[in-house]
Amino acid sequence: MNEAKSFPVPDSFDGVRADAAISKILGVSRAVAADLCSEGLVKQDGKVIDKSAKFRAGALLEIAAFENKDPLQVLPTLVSDLAIVFQDDDLVVIDKPAGVAAHPSVGWDGPTVPGALLALGIPVSTSGAAERQGIVQRLDVGTSGLMMVAKSELAYSRLKQAFRDRIVEKTYHAVVQGHLDPLAGTFDAPIGRHPKADFKFAVMNEGKHAVTHYQTLEMFPAATMVEVDLETGRTHQIRVHFSAFRHPLVGDTMYGADPKLADKLGLVRQWLHAVKLSFDHPISGERLTLHSNYPPDLEHALEVLRAH
């Protein structure tokens, strides 16, 4: 366990990116330093900073205690309810259960997608940071559904570009609190790291461009099921946008959902599932459309909502 550190930023690090400076200060890899920032463990003058923030000489730097035992190492871990939806020589699409992280990160010691694929003997691309090799898209730990991983180097390059060009269609189903007005619409609001709460994000003027499209599928007395299409892919985007407009995802108590309703529905995570991926195969060019069914916990919540 590394001890928490607090000290003024040395003059020699003035204007240096946070991940580069922390790497030198702690003697860890730059990837580990970047993850410390993304996990909200680094503050400058009391404010959580991201990896690209610039250090200011004399500012108070605070680095929280963390485990330094190769936190980004990919370890084989069998995940029994992780399913392979599609696989060939170039890519694999999985149906990720909730409770599995997209990749190793500082502060997370549970199962990961790369570890699950390693346990299954499925090789992935060596492109990308060591702990994120082959990862071309991510899902939150508490979000289930379809996630794609590249197996060949050419597929990795082309799929990353396809996501940047926004030609991969990502469709989610979510259940949100209350009734939406209008029944279909678009959230176009920038998202950045929450200024006061570690590990959270928020709609803020200085955030990154984020666009979420939705349409109502089914209405319940106190909630609404929606289909969501993402134009951008910011961290926690769906959760943040619906929460900001006063319709948090059912079960998402981190973003303001009613805990009593979550308990009533038996939910310990947000009702959010990646139901469809549609994309051009990076090698053959064939258009592929893949689907995923709701897992048991989300189906149960729907049954309770419909019964009342």
Side-chain angles (χ1 to χ4, degrees), residues 162-215:
F163 277 99
R164 283 193 290 267
D165 293 340
R166 301 173 185 172
I167 58 177
V168 177
E169 295 179 19
K170 301 169 288 182
T171 304
Y172 297 77
H173 284 180
V175 176
V176 304
Q177 291 184 189
H179 296 155
L180 292 157
D181 184 13
L183 297 179
T186 296
F187 299 131
D188 185 347
I191 292 175
R193 185 170 291 280
H194 197 289
K196 297 181 180 179
D198 294 349
F199 313 116
K200 290 180 63 176
F201 292 78
V203 167
M204 52 204 315
N205 291 334
E206 61 270 32
K208 295 180 180 179
H209 178 61
V211 178
T212 302
H213 305 286
Y214 74 88
Q215 60 179 358

Side-chain angles (χ1 to χ4, degrees), residues 103-134:
H103 57 74
S105 62
V106 175
W108 175 256
D109 58 3
T112 67
V113 169
L117 294 178
L118 184 60
L120 292 172
I122 298 175
V124 299
S125 163
T126 58
S127 298
E131 75 281 3
R132 304 180 188 180
Q133 290 182 348

